[in-house]
Amino acid sequence: METILKNDLILRVLRGENVERVPVWMMRQAGRFLPEYRKLREKYTFFERCKTPELACEITLQPIRRLGVDAAILFSDILVVPEAMGLEVQLVEKVGPILPSTIRRKEDLKKVRVPDIQESLGYVFDAIRLIRQELAGQVPLIRFAGAPWTLLCYMVQGKGFKTFDEAKRFCYTNPEAAHSLLQMITDTTITYLEAQIEAGADLVQLFDSWAGLVGPEDFSVFCQPYIHQIVAAVKEKAPVIVFAKGAWHSLPSLRDTGTNALGIDWCLTPELARTLAGGAVVLQGNFDPAKLYAPILFIEKEVGKMLERFGKNKYIANLGHGILPDIPVKHAKAFVETVKNYLWNN
Amino acid sequence: METILKNDLILRVLRGENVERVPVWMMRQAGRFLPEYRKLREKYTFFERCKTPELACEITLQPIRRLGVDAAILFSDILVVPEAMGLEVQLVEKVGPILPSTIRRKEDLKKVRVPDIQESLGYVFDAIRLIRQELAGQVPLIRFAGAPWTLLCYMVQGKGFKTFDEAKRFCYTNPEAAHSLLQMITDTTITYLEAQIEAGADLVQLFDSWAGLVGPEDFSVFCQPYIHQIVAAVKEKAPVIVFAKGAWHSLPSLRDTGTNALGIDWCLTPELARTLAGGAVVLQGNFDPAKLYAPILFIEKEVGKMLERFGKNKYIANLGHGILPDIPVKHAKAFVETVKNYLWNN
């Protein structure tokens, strides 16, 4: 049963159409900065929130009600994929993810498998179906997955780490095993995203959160080819946004994957991002999340500058990374409102 | 009493002269990856090692004996400056720096002052004089300081932090206080570096380790002007290397400070670094420190590629960040030897 979307702004932008205003959403909008989310966090563990469709649905809808953003993004975590592949994942509040059993040697690959997606991640598809129903076409639903390199980082390192040295050590000393693992993650991710689109996701975003830790050559070896496979498999079914945080140098090669849009962080000017990405691709970003600490007048001014520099078309307003946990809700709202009410000269 | 340097390769490169081979040293070479250092660490606290000239001297000389690098760098920490300015600094093994009292509001500026350098940091100058004597002209001695933005990050955040959000919050909500603090750090740093050159440092490196956390506009507001002041004051007395980690976009504006050399990390190709920095400035870097985990044959090959791409002149071989604590000494040695023994075609 096809629901007619009341607000399809972001989908029209991703199809390359010119639009009446810039669409806006915020990475991590479903979560920790909202008081109504923090209440649920007191009662349920991360995986309870994520694996109970009613809770995942409620959390996904909270920012739609509060902020009036132009897209919903399913509350989840990129590490549900390593978990489905066979590695235990603990998501500890204020500590971050812990994977007690890691991949460090070739033999460790036995710990993981390309899983049956419906069996291992069925709760995600249940949540998507419920959210679609509750959303009733208000805005499109975004689903996301971690890019293979970023998931490898966690699977090898076993936790968040500033530089993921163990992950790199694994790649440099066991390149064949690293590529086997990256391919397994890629295969899992493709099936996972396809099943989510089938269940009702309108578009997907791929997060390569740790892409900025490797140099351009390593990016072309360990990141780009796997992102390319995923984009190629998924984009016929739904539009794709690829966000390789920190890897500004990768914009030309990521554009060549055929992705509909590229996310960028705040360490790149809009002008250079357009130059590197070329004119055809949509850009998404790139407000420094820490700027939402500033007074609202400052936020409005800075958002205005960002909009002017990216322009009204081929652009989705967003932060350059996830919203920080202690941003006042009215500051987040100022960000969204400024984009939505911006008076364009043309 | 002037000592004649037996190996002045790095100084000749910094003067813009063509040389017979590329000089090489490693950031963090005096420290944690050396077993002889770890022995001292068992017996003395960080500040004992740093404030006792004999210990600082011994640690500074260890990598010269072990690795045969072309420069010594005084064992110390960038946080001796905030300490001298009045903030307590604890350097806790395996935890990192902790500053129990932080700068969060304008009123907190009362906690800090531009100190009398000889009084507060006299131990550094004692160490430099002792090292000069012990080095007996074998290689030049590098001294370093943290750039003002990076020191502000610690003074506001109070500890290491992936994104230093509190530091940014302070800058965006109290820009005047932030600039006052940056100016105080700048004034302190200039006097500090001048006194070190006076005591016998042959060249200085300025570390803006967290420059990559801000976008290009913020870099030009909170980082560049203060680096510019320091370079302008110091470069008549000794050559300067500026290393703004992660801030590849800053290379043109940092070149314009008149610095002799620019450090770069591994997330930038040598070719793009040359283009951005222009032909006149010396470049230093940019081996990914994690690549030293790889087998020695891999290291030799990768170092060779790096050398060919940077070329023999206007270049100092180094890592793109500090050496990691668990790198085998023979891998570090392979890095140094490959640079020193490289057969150039011209």
mmCIF file with all atom_site columns, all heavy atoms in Angstrom, chain B residues 190-207:
data_model
loop_
_atom_site.group_PDB
_atom_site.id
_atom_site.type_symbol
_atom_site.label_atom_id
_atom_site.label_alt_id
_atom_site.label_comp_id
_atom_site.label_asym_id
_atom_site.label_entity_id
_atom_site.label_seq_id
_atom_site.pdbx_PDB_ins_code
_atom_site.Cartn_x
_atom_site.Cartn_y
_atom_site.Cartn_z
_atom_site.occupancy
_atom_site.B_iso_or_equiv
_atom_site.pdbx_formal_charge
_atom_site.auth_seq_id
_atom_site.auth_comp_id
_atom_site.auth_asym_id
_atom_site.auth_atom_id
_atom_site.pdbx_PDB_model_num
ATOM 1   N N   . ILE B 1 190 ? 55.475 33.454 22.896 1.00 0.00 ? 190 ILE B N   1
ATOM 2   C CA  . ILE B 1 190 ? 56.573 34.189 22.244 1.00 0.00 ? 190 ILE B CA  1
ATOM 3   C C   . ILE B 1 190 ? 57.754 34.327 23.205 1.00 0.00 ? 190 ILE B C   1
ATOM 4   O O   . ILE B 1 190 ? 58.899 34.001 22.861 1.00 0.00 ? 190 ILE B O   1
ATOM 5   C CB  . ILE B 1 190 ? 56.081 35.568 21.733 1.00 0.00 ? 190 ILE B CB  1
ATOM 6   C CG1 . ILE B 1 190 ? 55.157 35.364 20.521 1.00 0.00 ? 190 ILE B CG1 1
ATOM 7   C CG2 . ILE B 1 190 ? 57.263 36.470 21.365 1.00 0.00 ? 190 ILE B CG2 1
ATOM 8   C CD1 . ILE B 1 190 ? 54.458 36.625 20.040 1.00 0.00 ? 190 ILE B CD1 1
ATOM 9   N N   . THR B 1 191 ? 57.481 34.777 24.418 1.00 0.00 ? 191 THR B N   1
ATOM 10  C CA  . THR B 1 191 ? 58.572 34.920 25.393 1.00 0.00 ? 191 THR B CA  1
ATOM 11  C C   . THR B 1 191 ? 59.228 33.571 25.670 1.00 0.00 ? 191 THR B C   1
ATOM 12  O O   . THR B 1 191 ? 60.455 33.464 25.796 1.00 0.00 ? 191 THR B O   1
ATOM 13  C CB  . THR B 1 191 ? 58.026 35.467 26.739 1.00 0.00 ? 191 THR B CB  1
ATOM 14  O OG1 . THR B 1 191 ? 56.902 36.293 26.482 1.00 0.00 ? 191 THR B OG1 1
ATOM 15  C CG2 . THR B 1 191 ? 59.089 36.227 27.484 1.00 0.00 ? 191 THR B CG2 1
ATOM 16  N N   . TYR B 1 192 ? 58.395 32.559 25.778 1.00 0.00 ? 192 TYR B N   1
ATOM 17  C CA  . TYR B 1 192 ? 58.867 31.203 26.072 1.00 0.00 ? 192 TYR B CA  1
ATOM 18  C C   . TYR B 1 192 ? 59.805 30.703 24.963 1.00 0.00 ? 192 TYR B C   1
ATOM 19  O O   . TYR B 1 192 ? 60.914 30.221 25.231 1.00 0.00 ? 192 TYR B O   1
ATOM 20  C CB  . TYR B 1 192 ? 57.647 30.305 26.211 1.00 0.00 ? 192 TYR B CB  1
ATOM 21  C CG  . TYR B 1 192 ? 57.904 28.855 26.530 1.00 0.00 ? 192 TYR B CG  1
ATOM 22  C CD1 . TYR B 1 192 ? 58.811 28.472 27.504 1.00 0.00 ? 192 TYR B CD1 1
ATOM 23  C CD2 . TYR B 1 192 ? 57.199 27.859 25.854 1.00 0.00 ? 192 TYR B CD2 1
ATOM 24  C CE1 . TYR B 1 192 ? 59.016 27.120 27.799 1.00 0.00 ? 192 TYR B CE1 1
ATOM 25  C CE2 . TYR B 1 192 ? 57.400 26.514 26.144 1.00 0.00 ? 192 TYR B CE2 1
ATOM 26  C CZ  . TYR B 1 192 ? 58.310 26.152 27.107 1.00 0.00 ? 192 TYR B CZ  1
ATOM 27  O OH  . TYR B 1 192 ? 58.509 24.822 27.392 1.00 0.00 ? 192 TYR B OH  1
ATOM 28  N N   . LEU B 1 193 ? 59.363 30.834 23.721 1.00 0.00 ? 193 LEU B N   1
ATOM 29  C CA  . LEU B 1 193 ? 60.193 30.340 22.610 1.00 0.00 ? 193 LEU B CA  1
ATOM 30  C C   . LEU B 1 193 ? 61.469 31.169 22.469 1.00 0.00 ? 193 LEU B C   1
ATOM 31  O O   . LEU B 1 193 ? 62.552 30.620 22.218 1.00 0.00 ? 193 LEU B O   1
ATOM 32  C CB  . LEU B 1 193 ? 59.394 30.343 21.304 1.00 0.00 ? 193 LEU B CB  1
ATOM 33  C CG  . LEU B 1 193 ? 58.303 29.267 21.205 1.00 0.00 ? 193 LEU B CG  1
ATOM 34  C CD1 . LEU B 1 193 ? 57.471 29.438 19.935 1.00 0.00 ? 193 LEU B CD1 1
ATOM 35  C CD2 . LEU B 1 193 ? 58.915 27.855 21.234 1.00 0.00 ? 193 LEU B CD2 1
ATOM 36  N N   . GLU B 1 194 ? 61.357 32.473 22.647 1.00 0.00 ? 194 GLU B N   1
ATOM 37  C CA  . GLU B 1 194 ? 62.557 33.324 22.560 1.00 0.00 ? 194 GLU B CA  1
ATOM 38  C C   . GLU B 1 194 ? 63.582 32.906 23.620 1.00 0.00 ? 194 GLU B C   1
ATOM 39  O O   . GLU B 1 194 ? 64.777 32.826 23.337 1.00 0.00 ? 194 GLU B O   1
ATOM 40  C CB  . GLU B 1 194 ? 62.174 34.802 22.735 1.00 0.00 ? 194 GLU B CB  1
ATOM 41  C CG  . GLU B 1 194 ? 61.513 35.377 21.484 1.00 0.00 ? 194 GLU B CG  1
ATOM 42  C CD  . GLU B 1 194 ? 61.031 36.819 21.672 1.00 0.00 ? 194 GLU B CD  1
ATOM 43  O OE1 . GLU B 1 194 ? 60.846 37.245 22.840 1.00 0.00 ? 194 GLU B OE1 1
ATOM 44  O OE2 . GLU B 1 194 ? 60.818 37.495 20.647 1.00 0.00 ? 194 GLU B OE2 1
ATOM 45  N N   . ALA B 1 195 ? 63.107 32.638 24.821 1.00 0.00 ? 195 ALA B N   1
ATOM 46  C CA  . ALA B 1 195 ? 64.030 32.242 25.895 1.00 0.00 ? 195 ALA B CA  1
ATOM 47  C C   . ALA B 1 195 ? 64.660 30.885 25.602 1.00 0.00 ? 195 ALA B C   1
ATOM 48  O O   . ALA B 1 195 ? 65.803 30.614 25.973 1.00 0.00 ? 195 ALA B O   1
ATOM 49  C CB  . ALA B 1 195 ? 63.294 32.213 27.234 1.00 0.00 ? 195 ALA B CB  1
ATOM 50  N N   . GLN B 1 196 ? 63.924 30.021 24.945 1.00 0.00 ? 196 GLN B N   1
ATOM 51  C CA  . GLN B 1 196 ? 64.466 28.700 24.608 1.00 0.00 ? 196 GLN B CA  1
ATOM 52  C C   . GLN B 1 196 ? 65.526 28.808 23.519 1.00 0.00 ? 196 GLN B C   1
ATOM 53  O O   . GLN B 1 196 ? 66.532 28.099 23.543 1.00 0.00 ? 196 GLN B O   1
ATOM 54  C CB  . GLN B 1 196 ? 63.345 27.784 24.158 1.00 0.00 ? 196 GLN B CB  1
ATOM 55  C CG  . GLN B 1 196 ? 62.377 27.501 25.281 1.00 0.00 ? 196 GLN B CG  1
ATOM 56  C CD  . GLN B 1 196 ? 61.395 26.418 24.898 1.00 0.00 ? 196 GLN B CD  1
ATOM 57  O OE1 . GLN B 1 196 ? 61.755 25.264 24.818 1.00 0.00 ? 196 GLN B OE1 1
ATOM 58  N NE2 . GLN B 1 196 ? 60.175 26.805 24.646 1.00 0.00 ? 196 GLN B NE2 1
ATOM 59  N N   . ILE B 1 197 ? 65.259 29.674 22.561 1.00 0.00 ? 197 ILE B N   1
ATOM 60  C CA  . ILE B 1 197 ? 66.261 29.873 21.505 1.00 0.00 ? 197 ILE B CA  1
ATOM 61  C C   . ILE B 1 197 ? 67.527 30.467 22.136 1.00 0.00 ? 197 ILE B C   1
ATOM 62  O O   . ILE B 1 197 ? 68.647 30.043 21.842 1.00 0.00 ? 197 ILE B O   1
ATOM 63  C CB  . ILE B 1 197 ? 65.694 30.793 20.392 1.00 0.00 ? 197 ILE B CB  1
ATOM 64  C CG1 . ILE B 1 197 ? 64.500 30.091 19.720 1.00 0.00 ? 197 ILE B CG1 1
ATOM 65  C CG2 . ILE B 1 197 ? 66.764 31.142 19.377 1.00 0.00 ? 197 ILE B CG2 1
ATOM 66  C CD1 . ILE B 1 197 ? 63.631 31.005 18.876 1.00 0.00 ? 197 ILE B CD1 1
ATOM 67  N N   . GLU B 1 198 ? 67.318 31.411 23.022 1.00 0.00 ? 198 GLU B N   1
ATOM 68  C CA  . GLU B 1 198 ? 68.417 32.016 23.789 1.00 0.00 ? 198 GLU B CA  1
ATOM 69  C C   . GLU B 1 198 ? 69.222 30.940 24.531 1.00 0.00 ? 198 GLU B C   1
ATOM 70  O O   . GLU B 1 198 ? 70.458 30.940 24.528 1.00 0.00 ? 198 GLU B O   1
ATOM 71  C CB  . GLU B 1 198 ? 67.803 33.000 24.796 1.00 0.00 ? 198 GLU B CB  1
ATOM 72  C CG  . GLU B 1 198 ? 68.764 33.814 25.615 1.00 0.00 ? 198 GLU B CG  1
ATOM 73  C CD  . GLU B 1 198 ? 69.414 34.928 24.794 1.00 0.00 ? 198 GLU B CD  1
ATOM 74  O OE1 . GLU B 1 198 ? 68.856 35.300 23.723 1.00 0.00 ? 198 GLU B OE1 1
ATOM 75  O OE2 . GLU B 1 198 ? 70.467 35.407 25.224 1.00 0.00 ? 198 GLU B OE2 1
ATOM 76  N N   . ALA B 1 199 ? 68.522 29.973 25.126 1.00 0.00 ? 199 ALA B N   1
ATOM 77  C CA  . ALA B 1 199 ? 69.192 28.921 25.896 1.00 0.00 ? 199 ALA B CA  1
ATOM 78  C C   . ALA B 1 199 ? 69.868 27.891 24.998 1.00 0.00 ? 199 ALA B C   1
ATOM 79  O O   . ALA B 1 199 ? 70.680 27.093 25.467 1.00 0.00 ? 199 ALA B O   1
ATOM 80  C CB  . ALA B 1 199 ? 68.188 28.228 26.819 1.00 0.00 ? 199 ALA B CB  1
ATOM 81  N N   . GLY B 1 200 ? 69.503 27.871 23.704 1.00 0.00 ? 200 GLY B N   1
ATOM 82  C CA  . GLY B 1 200 ? 70.220 26.968 22.820 1.00 0.00 ? 200 GLY B CA  1
ATOM 83  C C   . GLY B 1 200 ? 69.398 26.098 21.888 1.00 0.00 ? 200 GLY B C   1
ATOM 84  O O   . GLY B 1 200 ? 69.935 25.173 21.284 1.00 0.00 ? 200 GLY B O   1
ATOM 85  N N   . ALA B 1 201 ? 68.105 26.368 21.736 1.00 0.00 ? 201 ALA B N   1
ATOM 86  C CA  . ALA B 1 201 ? 67.319 25.603 20.758 1.00 0.00 ? 201 ALA B CA  1
ATOM 87  C C   . ALA B 1 201 ? 67.652 26.110 19.359 1.00 0.00 ? 201 ALA B C   1
ATOM 88  O O   . ALA B 1 201 ? 67.712 27.315 19.127 1.00 0.00 ? 201 ALA B O   1
ATOM 89  C CB  . ALA B 1 201 ? 65.830 25.756 21.045 1.00 0.00 ? 201 ALA B CB  1
ATOM 90  N N   . ASP B 1 202 ? 67.883 25.185 18.428 1.00 0.00 ? 202 ASP B N   1
ATOM 91  C CA  . ASP B 1 202 ? 68.288 25.576 17.074 1.00 0.00 ? 202 ASP B CA  1
ATOM 92  C C   . ASP B 1 202 ? 67.113 25.897 16.168 1.00 0.00 ? 202 ASP B C   1
ATOM 93  O O   . ASP B 1 202 ? 67.257 26.627 15.193 1.00 0.00 ? 202 ASP B O   1
ATOM 94  C CB  . ASP B 1 202 ? 69.101 24.450 16.435 1.00 0.00 ? 202 ASP B CB  1
ATOM 95  C CG  . ASP B 1 202 ? 70.375 24.177 17.193 1.00 0.00 ? 202 ASP B CG  1
ATOM 96  O OD1 . ASP B 1 202 ? 71.259 25.045 17.151 1.00 0.00 ? 202 ASP B OD1 1
ATOM 97  O OD2 . ASP B 1 202 ? 70.477 23.122 17.847 1.00 0.00 ? 202 ASP B OD2 1
ATOM 98  N N   . LEU B 1 203 ? 65.981 25.285 16.453 1.00 0.00 ? 203 LEU B N   1
ATOM 99  C CA  . LEU B 1 203 ? 64.781 25.572 15.669 1.00 0.00 ? 203 LEU B CA  1
ATOM 100 C C   . LEU B 1 203 ? 63.578 25.257 16.542 1.00 0.00 ? 203 LEU B C   1
ATOM 101 O O   . LEU B 1 203 ? 63.715 24.587 17.568 1.00 0.00 ? 203 LEU B O   1
ATOM 102 C CB  . LEU B 1 203 ? 64.725 24.760 14.378 1.00 0.00 ? 203 LEU B CB  1
ATOM 103 C CG  . LEU B 1 203 ? 64.583 23.244 14.468 1.00 0.00 ? 203 LEU B CG  1
ATOM 104 C CD1 . LEU B 1 203 ? 63.802 22.720 13.269 1.00 0.00 ? 203 LEU B CD1 1
ATOM 105 C CD2 . LEU B 1 203 ? 65.962 22.595 14.499 1.00 0.00 ? 203 LEU B CD2 1
ATOM 106 N N   . VAL B 1 204 ? 62.407 25.751 16.146 1.00 0.00 ? 204 VAL B N   1
ATOM 107 C CA  . VAL B 1 204 ? 61.214 25.507 16.956 1.00 0.00 ? 204 VAL B CA  1
ATOM 108 C C   . VAL B 1 204 ? 60.071 24.983 16.094 1.00 0.00 ? 204 VAL B C   1
ATOM 109 O O   . VAL B 1 204 ? 59.972 25.310 14.910 1.00 0.00 ? 204 VAL B O   1
ATOM 110 C CB  . VAL B 1 204 ? 60.740 26.776 17.723 1.00 0.00 ? 204 VAL B CB  1
ATOM 111 C CG1 . VAL B 1 204 ? 61.818 27.257 18.678 1.00 0.00 ? 204 VAL B CG1 1
ATOM 112 C CG2 . VAL B 1 204 ? 60.319 27.871 16.779 1.00 0.00 ? 204 VAL B CG2 1
ATOM 113 N N   . GLN B 1 205 ? 59.254 24.147 16.708 1.00 0.00 ? 205 GLN B N   1
ATOM 114 C CA  . GLN B 1 205 ? 58.045 23.676 16.030 1.00 0.00 ? 205 GLN B CA  1
ATOM 115 C C   . GLN B 1 205 ? 56.833 24.070 16.866 1.00 0.00 ? 205 GLN B C   1
ATOM 116 O O   . GLN B 1 205 ? 56.800 23.882 18.077 1.00 0.00 ? 205 GLN B O   1
ATOM 117 C CB  . GLN B 1 205 ? 58.073 22.158 15.807 1.00 0.00 ? 205 GLN B CB  1
ATOM 118 C CG  . GLN B 1 205 ? 56.765 21.658 15.185 1.00 0.00 ? 205 GLN B CG  1
ATOM 119 C CD  . GLN B 1 205 ? 56.873 20.331 14.453 1.00 0.00 ? 205 GLN B CD  1
ATOM 120 O OE1 . GLN B 1 205 ? 57.909 20.027 13.870 1.00 0.00 ? 205 GLN B OE1 1
ATOM 121 N NE2 . GLN B 1 205 ? 55.811 19.553 14.445 1.00 0.00 ? 205 GLN B NE2 1
ATOM 122 N N   . LEU B 1 206 ? 55.826 24.585 16.168 1.00 0.00 ? 206 LEU B N   1
ATOM 123 C CA  . LEU B 1 206 ? 54.578 24.982 16.799 1.00 0.00 ? 206 LEU B CA  1
ATOM 124 C C   . LEU B 1 206 ? 53.533 23.938 16.429 1.00 0.00 ? 206 LEU B C   1
ATOM 125 O O   . LEU B 1 206 ? 53.300 23.672 15.243 1.00 0.00 ? 206 LEU B O   1
ATOM 126 C CB  . LEU B 1 206 ? 54.186 26.357 16.246 1.00 0.00 ? 206 LEU B CB  1
ATOM 127 C CG  . LEU B 1 206 ? 53.311 27.269 17.064 1.00 0.00 ? 206 LEU B CG  1
ATOM 128 C CD1 . LEU B 1 206 ? 53.908 27.549 18.435 1.00 0.00 ? 206 LEU B CD1 1
ATOM 129 C CD2 . LEU B 1 206 ? 53.110 28.584 16.297 1.00 0.00 ? 206 LEU B CD2 1
ATOM 130 N N   . PHE B 1 207 ? 52.917 23.328 17.443 1.00 0.00 ? 207 PHE B N   1
ATOM 131 C CA  . PHE B 1 207 ? 51.924 22.269 17.215 1.00 0.00 ? 207 PHE B CA  1
ATOM 132 C C   . PHE B 1 207 ? 50.521 22.826 17.379 1.00 0.00 ? 207 PHE B C   1
ATOM 133 O O   . PHE B 1 207 ? 50.124 23.149 18.496 1.00 0.00 ? 207 PHE B O   1
ATOM 134 C CB  . PHE B 1 207 ? 52.086 21.145 18.247 1.00 0.00 ? 207 PHE B CB  1
ATOM 135 C CG  . PHE B 1 207 ? 53.213 20.192 17.982 1.00 0.00 ? 207 PHE B CG  1
ATOM 136 C CD1 . PHE B 1 207 ? 54.477 20.448 18.485 1.00 0.00 ? 207 PHE B CD1 1
ATOM 137 C CD2 . PHE B 1 207 ? 53.015 19.038 17.240 1.00 0.00 ? 207 PHE B CD2 1
ATOM 138 C CE1 . PHE B 1 207 ? 55.528 19.564 18.260 1.00 0.00 ? 207 PHE B CE1 1
ATOM 139 C CE2 . PHE B 1 207 ? 54.062 18.147 17.008 1.00 0.00 ? 207 PHE B CE2 1
ATOM 140 C CZ  . PHE B 1 207 ? 55.319 18.414 17.510 1.00 0.00 ? 207 PHE B CZ  1
#
